[in-house]
Amino acid sequence: MNVLTGRAIRRGGRAGLRRRRSLVGLFLLVAAAGLAACAGGDTGGGDVVNVYSHRHYEADREIFRRFTAATGIEVNVVTASADELITRLRNEGAASPADVLITVDAGRLHRAAEEGLLQPVRSSDLEANVPARFRDPAGHWYGLTQRARVLVYHRDRVDPSTLTSYGDLASPEWSGRVLVRSSSNVYNQSLLAGLIARDGLEAAERWATGVVANLARAPRGGDTDQIKLVAAGVGDVALVNTYYLARLAGSSDPEDRRAAERLAVRFPDQSGGGTHVNVSGAGVTASSRNVENAVRLLEYLTGDEAQRLFAEANQEYPVKPDVPWTSILEEWGEFRADTADLSVLGALNAEAVRLFDRVGWR
Amino acid sequence: MEVALRRWLPAVRALPVGWTAAALLLVALLTVPLAVVAVGAFAPAGEAWGHVATTLLPEYLLHTLILALGAGGLALVLGVGTAWLVTMCDFPLRGFFHWALVLPLAVPAYMAAYTYAGMLDVTGPVQRLVRWLTGAGPDAFLYWNVMRIEVLALIFGFVLYPYIFLLTRALFEGRSGRALEAARIMGRGPWSIFLRIALPLARPAVVAGLALVLMEVLNDYGAVAYYGVTTFTTGIFRSWFAMGDLDTAIRLSAILMLVVLVVLGMERWQRGAARYDEAGGGRPVTRYRLRGGAAAAAVVFCFLPLVMGFLLPVGQLGLWTARTAPAVVDLSFLRMALNSFVLASGAAALCVGVAVVLAYAGRIDRTPLTSSAAKLAMLGYSIPGAVIAVGVMVAVLGVDRALTGGTALILTGGLGALVFAYLVRFMAVGYLSVEAGFTRIGANLGSASRTLGASPLRTLFRIELPLLRRAVLAAGVLVFIDVLKELPLTLILRPFNFDTLATRAFELASIEQVPQSAPAALLVIGAAAVVVAVLHRTFSLEARQ
Amino acid sequence: MRGATTVNDSVPDGFDGVTVADPARRTTCRGAGSATAPSNDMLRLDGVAKTYSGTSAAAVSGIDLSVADGEVLGLVGESGCGKSTLLRLVAGLEVPDRGAIRLAGQPVAGPRAWTPPERRGVGMVFQDFALFPHLSAASNIMYGLFSMPRVERLARTDRILDLVGLSGLGSRFPHQLSGGQQQRVALARALAPEPRVLLMDEPFSNLDSALKRGLRAELAEILGRTGITAILVVHDAEDVMALADRVAVMRAGRIRQIESPDFLYQQPRDEYVARFFGETNILHARPREGGFETAIGFIPCAMAAGRSGTVRLCLRPEHFHLSIDANGNAGGCASGCGDVPGCGKAGRPAVVRHVRQSGLHRRIVLMVETGSPGGASLTVDVGPEPHLVEGDTVYVQPKPGCLHVLQGEVAGEV
């Protein structure tokens, strides 16, 4: 190496070092200031309500904003999976800052209530907004939206009259035609829990065994993937929640819309026990220090404005009876839902998972 | 044992007390959350334990093994191969590959998994292209089952190989001088040198990189869950989420931790007395000039991981972003970007600082004490973030209780707790990189400084750190990128109303709005890519002046 | 043993130009591990042992050693014999498993003592120099002077650059210096803080031989001028003889012998030491009345008295008398045997196998007829005359009194 250039390197290196050192210092200062600033957010006193939510929907933020605008109550949110939030609640105990827990299935709410993490609350508005079967009798939790687990089939390849019940998915004629996602998904778990409660463990196990035998491919991906695979002809029928198809039909991608056009919805068990319905719901935490605000939030969430927004933004069925459905849901029509007590979904959840594992539904 | 003790005792007396104490204190702090998990292993088994252990474990283990072997093997070939090419060979675009090959690190594994599924999906761009090319009607859907364990292993390999690339490249560059040139002079061909000299020399870096890759594979949940592949980690979450049995989840995590500990220990033991220190600085080597077919092959070999691990996922995210950005992107992105950046840089700076203290204490203490303890602090990288979150929660809550008697939460739900959790989680990344840097400097310069009357602290600041700055910056960048894309810890432990780009991307992806999650994901990747590029520019400017 | 008082006036090359150190600095030779520690001991090691983790053999063990103030001690031995470890133990870079180390009477390592390297006041020159690559030569030298006022620091740096002959090169960075210059910077850096003891680990191993000779002389001068206590690890006998007042020969982690360089050459304790200091002939011998019976004949020597069994004799190449005919006409008595009794008689016939020019002398390898098949090979020095070539027959005979009996008995017959 040339001596001169070598020298230059070292000079540059040292000057660079000094420059970098001051840069690093500046950077650390900014970082510290930033951390301090970010850590802000009043979660204690004042007019606030603190929410732990498993609902990751953009619409929810908008709904909270409107609630704040209407009531002046600040809404602070942490979103994560319900199980993680329940663990956080349990660990924080009486000191927990959370006032409201929102989940996407009744089973988790039931589990939280069983652990004493939720407190019963009552209000005439809540009772008026939420029909009895969508809430805990003692008032530990209230449903916010309904989700129906339905059959989506290919218009050209399936005669809807041959597809009337969940039970059909287990019959031999559907061999190699059924698509469904993994059993680690909570919607499948609550469906099976519902079937166990309604038909008994043995019948449920026979059904699950039959479905596994009929699968077009091993369970993977989400509900949307199952729907697209039906459109692609990999299978003929998929077991999914309604709003995934509704969302695909309303997608900004023309390919998605074209795929959705080939598909139709079938509400199963209309002549039997009714279609499986779960709710996403909310409860007030046992440790809440803003119970009044929490109840006002629940009242708002079950009220007309929020219910309409839930429906529009995410194509979910509102729990409040007189709130209008979206046009797609209207088009699919009314259906008979399973009216069994939703808290059994939580009680039987672990049982359902063990059953899934026994029959090899991954 | 007794012999070992007798040998150690004098060395223990000669410990640099302040440093050892500081290092052990830091390790103790960092391992409290892990200890919470480890203790869980001895708690009475939860109800799900028997079920998981009998019906699921064999399959989970098999899948985990397949993923680890597939991803590890591919990452090894790509990482070491590309590192060798860019340091020892001259071919077109070498300078570009030298830094660009790090880029796939910016792509979160789960995001890559989503994009590949989306890309090959029936409504995805590939099928569209095929339909357009063949003139087939809109109904002519094809079905490629890409959501398979083999594919997932490849995806992991393509996005994680940069860990091996980075560490191995640094090592080839550092020690390039003597050994490799000596071998060349002895008339060895490039392949022979690569296999017989370079690989064995690069072993510590390769092993460190491979350890990081495997630990990433072990703790992944997002990608395996989406691809329906059951692994040890899905077992942990199945016990916890589906069966509500946190005890079993923790017990499984403890087993995972133990396995990793044994593997790390075995590597150490097998390395034995072999030394990998190198003395003196490396000067640039004379590279092999590749021509014609060989040059083309090298370009292709380097492009492959860059395309598969970076360009394709980013391209797909770009397509989605173009479609969804108008509806999704708003001013809150600015806030989230700031949160992400501040959090990642703060955590990276702290993590590297702690890593330097641990590695330096281990270097000067002459006993296996500190370096063994530091191994413990690395375990956090191997177990799922959500489980660490539980450990951190318990630990931080303990402090809160001690401070307030359980009436209020001071640290819990604060950013301090979150940053602490990052340290627990990513100490392995910082420590391994910094330690590799120390190894590269060799021990003599530090010894020389000490004999000239400089204390360990002075030696660290005046001699080691200036020579270590590449390794320190590289470690910082790795941790920065890791924190930038980190999910479970951020989700569970963050304060109210605190969103980062990664959490936003994940929230949308988890409700099956993957296209809508693309803008945030693209920003995460973009930020990481910018940092990688800037770092590279700094280094290359310095070298060129 | 110490009866051999013969002083050879013909010394091997390496001995020419020895810088004889100031006699005041030279202390009386003490055997290893002498029981009492004189007060002028700068460094003292008692029973020091060190085994590296992961190895079973001790790197050093049972080291007893003392170095007087101002003394220059050489440490020699084959590679891996523990020389460098000993140095690192003294510097405080390694911790001894057993034993104690004292510096100027103060314990710095031992059962209840530990002083870290930075507080020992021991300077060290590393084998690879270990110059800080990011600091200039001057900054390297100033590095150890940080507690000094700036003005003084600069002044001393200038002075010491001058001392090692590097004036004007202080702003260069290590990679801009030649090997020899780097070596000087390393030495200057170690000397700058005025350490109590200077340790040098193979100071010449990275240099070519021309450079080495020059530096060796300079180093000898600097050591003499500064009067510093020093330990040099060297693997070359020439180097150590040129520089050290006393030399410790190490093997397998232990000190085999520690004496002045001359003494080691004349009276090596064993074959290892003997071979380390120059070429030598080792002969198995049986003591007889008035001398030793060897393969090359009877050698009269008073040292045979009182011995039995088989012993080994050490005969340096210059310890032979050579004649070109059976009558003992001296063609070239290897060394001036003068009127030594026995000189002048015919020796054993031998055939010249190899001739090598070595300075003024020629070193030849002879094959001596011994009666047993193959004969015995001897290395012998001769003067410029007579001219011998391969295949010539000569008569060789050891000079009486020149031989040295090595320690230890040998099993079996001659």
Side-chain angles (χ1 to χ4, degrees):
Chain A
M1 187 186 291
N2 183 308
V3 171
L4 279 173
T5 54
R7 183 179 218 157
I9 288 176
R10 291 302 157 176
R11 284 231 182 98
R14 288 182 83 196
L17 203 66
R18 259 198 304 281
R19 202 168 54 235
R20 208 159 29 246
R21 206 171 283 153
S22 55
L23 259 179
V24 167
L26 185 73
F27 171 80
L28 284 179
L29 204 70
V30 170
L35 278 180
C38 293
D42 185 15
T43 58
D47 241 3
V48 298
V49 57
N50 300 324
V51 178
Y52 283 2
S53 174
H54 188 175
R55 286 180 61 96
H56 304 324
Y57 303 100
E58 199 56 35
D60 289 30
R61 293 173 203 274
E62 175 59 25
I63 292 171
F64 291 143
R65 265 193 293 277
R66 292 200 189 193
F67 171 72
T68 303
T71 62
I73 300 169
E74 202 79 43
V75 184
N76 298 313
V77 189
V78 170
T79 57
S81 94
D83 304 275
E84 291 163 344
L85 294 171
I86 289 172
T87 305
R88 182 165 168 178
L89 265 182
R90 188 195 306 133
N91 277 313
E92 289 169 344
S96 175
D99 299 308
V100 173
L101 173 70
I102 301 180
T103 75
V104 292
D105 85 318
R108 296 296 181 278
L109 287 169
H110 172 74
R111 204 185 271 170
E114 289 278 280
E115 286 193 43
L117 299 174
L118 300 180
Q119 59 172 296
V121 292
R122 290 199 176 282
S123 99
S124 50
D125 272 7
L126 277 175
E127 272 157 36
N129 288 346
V130 185
R133 66 189 180 94
F134 294 138
R135 59 178 148 92
D136 177 50
H140 284 101
W141 54 265
Y142 294 85
L144 300 177
T145 62
Q146 313 178 50
R147 290 97 186 268
R149 197 127 183 97
V150 299
L151 304 176
V152 168
Y153 64 91
H154 199 286
R155 287 182 200 275
D156 304 342
R157 291 199 302 271
V158 174
D159 173 6
S161 65
T162 61
L163 191 65
T164 59
S165 70
Y166 293 115
D168 287 337
L169 297 181
S171 71
E173 62 187 286
W174 290 93
S175 175
R177 301 168 70 187
V178 177
L179 285 160
V180 72
R181 75 194 295 184
S182 150
S183 65
S184 59
N185 175 255
V186 62
Y187 306 134
N188 280 343
Q189 291 163 13
S190 74
L191 169 65
L192 188 61
L195 292 180
I196 293 172
R198 197 176 71 190
D199 306 335
L201 192 62
E202 273 177 43
E205 182 154 356
R206 268 199 307 281
W207 176 77
T209 311
V211 172
V212 171
N214 285 348
L215 288 180
R217 71 159 190 181
R220 51 197 37 146
D223 276 7
T224 311
D225 296 298
Q226 316 305 322
I227 294 170
K228 285 182 178 176
L229 288 174
V230 173
V234 175
D236 293 333
V237 62
L239 180 57
V240 296
N241 280 3
T242 41
Y243 50 91
Y244 291 109
L245 179 60
R247 227 192 259 159
L248 199 67
S251 168
S252 59
D253 183 351
E255 284 280 324
D256 285 348
R257 290 199 299 274
R258 200 175 314 146
E261 279 163 20
R262 294 167 184 31
L263 308 174
V265 166
R266 188 79 171 156
F267 290 95
D269 289 4
Q270 291 303 294
S271 53
T275 297
H276 170 77
V277 165
N278 201 338
V279 297
S280 118
V284 178
T285 66
S287 62
S288 170
R289 267 163 280 181
N290 304 299
V291 179
E292 211 173 293
N293 291 350
V295 172
R296 284 185 73 181
L297 179 63
L298 294 197
E299 285 169 356
Y300 177 79
L301 293 177
T302 55
D304 284 320
E305 185 180 35
Q307 288 286 300
R308 210 185 58 248
L309 283 169
F310 278 137
E312 281 169 6
N314 198 35
Q315 306 285 2
E316 292 175 273
Y317 292 99
V319 287
K320 191 160 186 285
D322 47 356
V323 174
W325 293 2
T326 63
S327 55
I328 293 178
L329 298 187
E330 284 288 358
E331 197 183 302
W332 292 343
E334 298 268 346
F335 64 96
R336 212 179 110 209
D338 188 343
T339 52
D341 181 5
L342 285 173
S343 60
V344 303
L345 302 182
L348 290 172
N349 196 288
E351 187 71 57
V353 171
R354 277 195 290 272
L355 201 163
F356 276 131
D357 287 334
R358 274 203 303 280
V359 304
W361 185 329
R362 292 298 177 236
Chain B
M1 190 62 211
E2 200 204 317
V3 174
L5 249 178
R6 223 184 304 143
R7 192 172 299 160
W8 283 15
L9 268 175
V12 168
R13 207 164 26 244
L15 283 176
V17 181
W19 284 91
T20 309
L24 292 183
L25 189 73
L26 283 171
V27 170
L29 266 178
L30 292 173
T31 41
V32 167
L34 303 173
V36 170
V37 175
V39 166
F42 302 103
E47 56 165 333
W49 171 254
H51 169 73
V52 170
T54 51
T55 41
L56 305 174
L57 221 45
E59 181 194 304
Y60 287 4
L61 287 175
L62 178 71
H63 287 168
T64 305
L65 199 67
I66 293 173
L67 276 183
L69 287 180
L74 180 64
L76 208 58
V77 170
L78 293 175
V80 178
T82 52
W84 170 260
L85 283 175
V86 301
T87 48
M88 295 300 294
C89 300
D90 233 341
F91 56 96
L93 294 177
R94 187 198 72 87
F96 164 73
F97 287 127
H98 188 265
W99 66 275
L101 279 166
V102 183
L103 288 175
L105 205 62
V107 182
Y110 79 93
M111 207 33 93
Y114 275 116
T115 53
Y116 272 102
M119 215 180 306
L120 299 165
D121 191 9
V122 290
T123 62
V126 174
Q127 299 235 5
R128 269 180 232 197
L129 186 68
V130 170
R131 280 200 291 276
W132 180 77
L133 285 174
T134 58
D139 272 335
F141 293 123
L142 299 165
Y143 172 58
W144 299 310
N145 186 5
V146 294
M147 291 166 102
R148 301 186 330 187
I149 189 167
E150 305 89 330
V151 177
L152 193 58
L154 293 183
I155 292 175
F156 277 132
F158 278 120
V159 295
L160 295 177
Y161 80 87
Y163 283 120
I164 298 178
F165 170 76
L166 264 177
L167 295 179
T168 313
R169 186 190 72 186
L171 197 124
F172 282 154
E173 280 170 350
R175 99 168 53 239
S176 53
R178 314 272 138 74
L180 297 180
E181 284 188 336
R184 214 171 151 183
I185 288 160
M186 286 190 278
R188 293 279 193 181
W191 282 105
S192 161
I193 292 176
F194 177 68
L195 292 174
R196 306 266 305 270
I197 313 285
L199 267 190
L201 275 181
R203 202 180 123 183
V206 172
V207 169
L210 187 64
L212 290 176
V213 170
L214 292 183
M215 288 198 257
E216 281 269 11
V217 171
L218 283 183
N219 75 50
D220 172 82
Y221 179 63
V224 291
Y226 185 59
Y227 275 46
V229 174
T230 50
T231 64
F232 208 85
T233 300
T234 58
I236 290 171
F237 284 98
R238 199 170 182 81
S239 321
W240 180 5
F241 291 178
M243 306 171 101
D245 186 352
L246 183 58
D247 291 341
T248 296
I250 285 180
R251 178 181 270 227
L252 287 168
S253 304
I255 295 176
L256 194 60
M257 224 157 63
L258 193 72
V259 170
V260 172
L261 190 65
V262 168
V263 170
L264 285 176
M266 265 167 51
E267 196 281 323
R268 186 91 201 156
W269 171 76
Q270 205 237 325
R271 208 200 282 190
R275 291 177 55 130
Y276 295 91
D277 283 14
E278 66 178 310
R283 61 213 144 78
V285 279
T286 333
R287 300 196 187 90
Y288 294 102
R289 193 170 293 276
L290 302 184
R291 291 180 194 287
V299 171
V300 169
F301 186 79
C302 288
F303 250 124
L304 180 76
L306 192 58
V307 168
M308 300 297 285
F310 188 76
L311 294 177
L312 281 182
V314 167
Q316 177 64 51
L317 287 172
L319 284 181
W320 279 331
T321 299
R323 176 154 69 79
T324 61
V328 175
V329 178
D330 54 28
L331 271 179
S332 69
F333 266 66
L334 220 65
R335 176 80 193 180
M336 289 188 294
L338 180 72
N339 285 348
S340 287
F341 186 78
V342 167
L343 202 56
S345 35
L350 259 177
C351 183
V352 172
V354 174
V356 165
V357 172
L358 292 186
Y360 188 60
R363 186 174 168 81
I364 61 174
D365 86 343
R366 296 189 203 80
T367 68
L369 187 66
T370 316
S371 49
S372 309
K375 290 277 177 308
L376 283 180
M378 283 165 47
L379 288 178
Y381 202 53
S382 63
I383 56 176
V387 177
I388 291 187
V390 174
V392 169
M393 224 187 276
V394 171
V396 173
L397 277 162
V399 176
D400 275 343
R401 293 229 169 83
L403 289 176
T404 68
T407 52
L409 301 178
I410 299 172
L411 300 174
T412 304
L415 281 179
L418 184 54
V419 169
F420 171 62
Y422 288 146
L423 294 193
V424 175
R425 178 97 172 80
F426 295 124
M427 193 44 66
V429 180
Y431 179 81
L432 282 175
S433 321
V434 171
E435 202 202 22
F438 269 123
T439 308
R440 220 176 318 135
I441 299 177
N444 270 359
L445 295 179
S447 299
S449 167
R450 298 288 299 280
T451 61
L452 288 167
S455 65
L457 188 68
R458 190 177 162 80
T459 302
L460 176 63
F461 276 97
R462 292 290 310 275
I463 304 298
E464 310 271 18
L465 278 183
L467 296 172
L468 207 60
R469 64 183 195 285
R470 268 164 181 267
V472 162
L473 278 175
V477 166
L478 281 183
V479 177
F480 177 88
I481 292 174
D482 258 326
V483 173
L484 210 57
K485 59 187 192 180
E486 202 283 336
L487 275 174
L489 289 173
T490 321
L491 278 172
I492 304 171
L493 296 173
R494 65 194 158 142
F496 282 105
N497 307 328
F498 188 87
D499 292 315
T500 67
L501 292 168
T503 63
R504 173 60 59 87
F506 173 77
E507 283 174 358
L508 289 165
S510 74
I511 55 169
E512 301 191 17
Q513 299 194 338
V514 180
Q516 281 78 0
S517 76
L522 210 53
L523 274 176
V524 170
I525 297 171
V530 165
V531 170
V532 167
V534 165
L535 184 76
H536 165 78
R537 233 181 84 80
T538 317
F539 281 159
S540 63
L541 272 184
E542 182 185 307
R544 208 169 297 149
Q545 260 171 17
Chain C
M1 250 295 304
R2 297 203 175 191
T5 50
T6 318
V7 177
N8 275 293
D9 50 8
S10 127
V11 286
D13 299 347
F15 280 57
D16 299 335
V18 169
T19 312
V20 178
D22 173 9
R25 277 177 52 206
R26 194 183 284 260
T27 56
T28 50
C29 285
R30 283 182 305 274
S34 51
T36 54
S39 57
N40 67 341
D41 269 355
M42 179 50 86
L43 174 70
R44 189 178 158 81
L45 280 72
D46 288 303
V48 168
K50 168 79 189 172
T51 306
Y52 289 107
S53 61
T55 58
S56 52
V60 296
S61 62
I63 301 286
D64 298 313
L65 177 69
S66 53
V67 185
D69 193 3
E71 186 181 14
V72 176
L73 178 79
L75 271 181
V76 299
E78 60 201 359
S79 37
C81 69
K83 313 177 291 248
S84 294
T85 300
L86 195 55
L87 225 53
R88 295 176 62 82
L89 283 164
V90 173
L93 300 173
E94 302 289 350
V95 187
D97 300 337
R98 266 189 303 280
I101 303 175
R102 287 162 185 277
L103 264 170
Q106 297 296 313
V108 293
R112 261 169 296 282
W114 174 254
T115 306
E118 63 269 23
R119 291 209 298 271
R120 288 197 180 184
V122 170
M124 182 150 171
V125 178
F126 290 77
Q127 186 175 1
D128 62 359
F129 311 143
L131 295 179
F132 306 131
H134 59 302
L135 300 179
S136 68
S139 301
N140 262 282
I141 293 167
M142 263 187 282
Y143 184 83
L145 308 176
F146 54 86
S147 53
M148 218 176 250
R150 189 177 153 73
V151 181
E152 216 173 305
R153 196 161 58 195
L154 290 171
R156 180 174 305 179
T157 304
D158 280 347
R159 221 167 42 237
I160 206 121
L161 273 169
D162 211 31
L163 177 72
V164 297
L166 286 177
S167 309
L169 296 181
S171 60
R172 297 249 179 118
F173 282 88
H175 68 279
Q176 300 168 320
L177 297 170
S178 71
Q181 289 168 331
Q182 289 184 15
Q183 213 275 352
R184 287 170 215 224
V185 173
L187 176 65
R189 186 178 70 176
L191 286 174
E194 297 183 342
R196 296 186 287 188
V197 175
L198 175 69
L199 308 173
M200 301 185 79
D201 193 359
E202 308 258 3
F204 308 120
S205 68
N206 273 340
L207 306 175
D208 62 52
S209 65
L211 205 54
K212 184 168 106 168
R213 271 165 207 271
L215 266 174
R216 194 171 65 195
E218 272 181 61
L219 180 60
E221 201 213 313
I222 290 171
L223 289 177
R225 194 140 36 115
T226 53
I228 194 171
T229 311
I231 302 182
L232 314 176
V233 163
V234 175
H235 62 241
D236 186 302
E238 261 184 51
D239 291 338
V240 80
M241 290 182 155
L243 292 167
D245 300 328
R246 258 194 323 154
V247 177
V249 184
M250 290 188 71
R251 188 180 198 188
R254 292 179 172 275
I255 294 181
R256 294 292 279 251
Q257 193 171 11
I258 175 163
E259 291 293 350
S260 70
D262 287 357
F263 191 97
L264 286 173
Y265 184 79
Q266 308 289 349
Q267 301 186 30
R269 179 178 178 269
D270 54 25
E271 189 174 341
Y272 176 75
V273 177
R275 289 204 186 280
F276 197 87
F277 288 92
E279 224 160 329
T280 190
N281 299 289
I282 307 289
L283 293 175
H284 287 209
R286 292 185 76 91
R288 292 273 183 270
E289 187 62 40
F292 294 98
E293 190 67 57
T294 73
I296 59 169
F298 184 77
I299 308 175
C301 180
M303 280 187 286
R307 292 180 187 269
S308 60
T310 305
V311 298
R312 277 171 306 176
L313 305 180
C314 166
L315 289 139
R316 296 288 180 188
E318 68 271 18
H319 290 172
F320 290 92
H321 175 74
L322 217 61
S323 46
I324 48 170
D325 60 45
N327 298 327
N329 288 332
C333 192
S335 44
C337 54
D339 52 2
V340 176
C343 195
K345 274 193 231 162
R348 289 260 168 156
V351 180
V352 176
R353 281 292 155 89
H354 184 73
V355 183
R356 189 170 81 222
Q357 191 70 35
S358 162
L360 272 178
H361 303 277
R362 273 174 303 158
R363 185 159 286 185
I364 64 173
V365 179
L366 300 172
M367 195 53 74
V368 188
E369 289 167 23
T370 59
S372 56
S377 169
L378 279 184
T379 305
V380 174
D381 279 356
V382 295
E385 292 295 328
H387 185 73
L388 292 171
V389 293
E390 269 177 52
D392 287 353
T393 299
V394 295
Y395 296 86
V396 64
Q397 187 181 38
K399 286 184 277 180
C402 292
L403 61 81
H404 167 69
V405 185
L406 296 175
Q407 278 185 4
E409 296 237 323
V410 183
E413 288 297 298
V414 178

